[in-house]
Amino acid sequence: MSSVINKKENSIVEIDFDISAEDFKDALKKSFQKNAKKFNVPGFRPGKAPMNIITKYYGEGALYDDAIEIIANDSYVKAVEEHQISPVSRPEINNVSEIGSGKGVKFSILVTVKPEVTLGQYKGIEVIRTVPGVTAEQVDAELDKVRERNARMLPVEDREALTGDTVNIDYEGFLEGVPFDGGKGAGYDLKIGSGTFIPGFEEQVIGRAVNDEFAINVTFPEDYQKDELKGKAVVFKVKVNTIKIKELPQVDDEFAKDVSEFNTLQEYKESLRMKLMETAQKKSDAEFEEQVLSRPSKTRRSKSRMR
């Protein structure tokens, strides 16, 4: 067996193999032994027909696929060691240019290897490496996110809607007394103050109670995406179905037990701090690496600073 390395783009290497007739005949025998029971020849029980009968009846090519795979596996391992390459992907047989029991087989394998890195001037480069830190405010902010995810929506029936409430409404919009496309909705949850609807709509829901039915007068902005509604005054007929408020869970040991594997709030906050620290460290490392790779070749010293 002989092999030749050809380097391609994107760290791909092509290995060309030239397998002798003797080695290929041995691979054909192994292929026959592996597949003997698959061949049916009149006058022979399955798996009992000799190899010369099989090749006459089915043709030698019936053994080629497994023979190539057998010889390729062994040849590839030897080539990797001989040429000292470092594959990072599975090898793929690319081309079989010659094959036969009397002449051997020639084929190539493609494989991706570790890229070659040429170091530039790196000694003496000065970059600033930030040392990450996590503040109590950052931990509290992360805790607030968890509280938001675990909040409950509670119905309100003893008062009118206020800013911050979520009202469930049915609505239909009319332009000059005629309903317009896209202006109707049912069972829509609208958080008052979110700015979801066109200016002036949400403010007119404030002060309304459950089951109230009323009209809202608004004007679409001049830059609205639908030309037929730009700058047009419209009327929405609205009904309030429900009013709900968000209730955030109290931050205590019971809260920590509910949302984590920890028994105390202090333990849970420490785990949040560690996660934030890990994220900050990864960001710092990435920024440092980017600075090193992007800096021009000038003599500098490394510095560190707290962040």
Side-chain angles (χ1 to χ4, degrees), residues 81-98:
E81 183 178 352
E82 176 187 352
H83 298 287
Q84 297 183 336
I85 60 176
S86 301
V88 294
S89 70
R90 296 187 65 177
E92 176 184 347
I93 297 178
N94 180 50
N95 180 46
V96 179
S97 59
E98 183 177 290

Side-chain angles (χ1 to χ4, degrees), residues 3-254:
S3 62
V4 178
I5 291 289
N6 296 304
K7 296 180 180 180
K8 304 290 185 179
E9 294 181 348
N10 301 319
S11 300
I12 294 176
V13 165
E14 181 181 55
I15 312 174
D16 294 329
F17 294 93
D18 188 351
I19 308 300
S20 68
E22 181 179 355
D23 288 340
F24 188 56
K25 284 181 181 179
D26 184 58
L28 286 171
K29 290 179 182 179
K30 293 178 180 178
S31 176
F32 165 71
Q33 293 168 356
K34 177 181 178 182
N35 296 285
K37 292 183 179 180
K38 297 179 181 178
F39 299 114
N40 292 314
V41 179
F44 293 90
R45 286 181 295 166
K48 297 301 182 179
M51 181 174 172
N52 65 319
I53 299 297
I54 294 297
T55 55
K56 285 181 180 180
Y57 194 82
Y58 285 94
E60 188 179 81
L63 302 174
Y64 281 174
D65 285 348
D66 282 315
I68 292 174
E69 183 176 343
I70 290 168
I71 199 92
N73 287 338
D74 184 56
S75 301
Y76 172 71
V77 171
K78 293 178 180 178
V80 167
E81 183 178 352
E82 176 187 352
H83 298 287
Q84 297 183 336
I85 60 176
S86 301
V88 294
S89 70
R90 296 187 65 177
E92 176 184 347
I93 297 178
N94 180 50
N95 180 46
V96 179
S97 59
E98 183 177 290
I99 189 169
S101 59
K103 51 187 174 182
V105 59
K106 293 181 180 180
F107 63 93
S108 61
I109 287 179
L110 292 179
V111 65
T112 303
V113 299
K114 290 182 180 180
E116 295 182 357
V117 179
T118 302
L119 293 177
Q121 175 60 38
Y122 65 92
K123 294 184 178 180
I125 293 179
E126 177 188 298
V127 294
I128 297 175
R129 184 181 188 121
T130 56
V131 179
V134 175
T135 65
E137 289 75 13
Q138 288 175 301
V139 174
D140 288 341
E142 196 66 22
L143 201 59
D144 287 340
K145 293 178 184 178
V146 180
R147 292 182 72 202
E148 286 287 341
R149 292 196 295 267
N150 288 273
R152 296 189 303 167
M153 298 302 296
L154 302 179
V156 174
E157 297 180 352
D158 58 350
R159 65 166 174 79
E160 293 76 22
L162 301 174
T163 299
D165 290 347
T166 295
V167 293
N168 182 277
I169 60 173
D170 300 333
Y171 62 89
E172 185 172 15
F174 297 84
L175 174 62
E176 298 177 351
V178 179
F180 57 84
D181 290 340
K184 186 176 182 179
Y188 184 86
D189 284 329
L190 171 65
K191 182 176 181 179
I192 301 177
S194 64
T196 305
F197 276 32
I198 59 176
F201 186 99
E202 295 173 25
E203 290 82 353
Q204 295 181 60
V205 179
I206 295 174
R208 304 293 181 172
V210 174
N211 294 323
D212 277 0
E213 297 184 30
F214 52 96
I216 287 178
N217 294 277
V218 291
T219 300
F220 278 95
E222 294 291 343
D223 59 352
Y224 194 68
Q225 61 267 32
K226 292 186 178 180
D227 292 337
E228 65 272 20
L229 294 175
K230 288 182 177 179
K232 296 297 179 66
V234 298
V235 177
F236 281 94
K237 293 182 179 180
V238 181
K239 179 186 176 183
V240 176
N241 299 316
T242 63
I243 302 173
K244 293 182 179 181
I245 59 172
K246 179 186 293 186
E247 182 184 69
L248 294 173
Q250 185 175 349
V251 180
D252 53 19
D253 290 345
E254 291 302 316

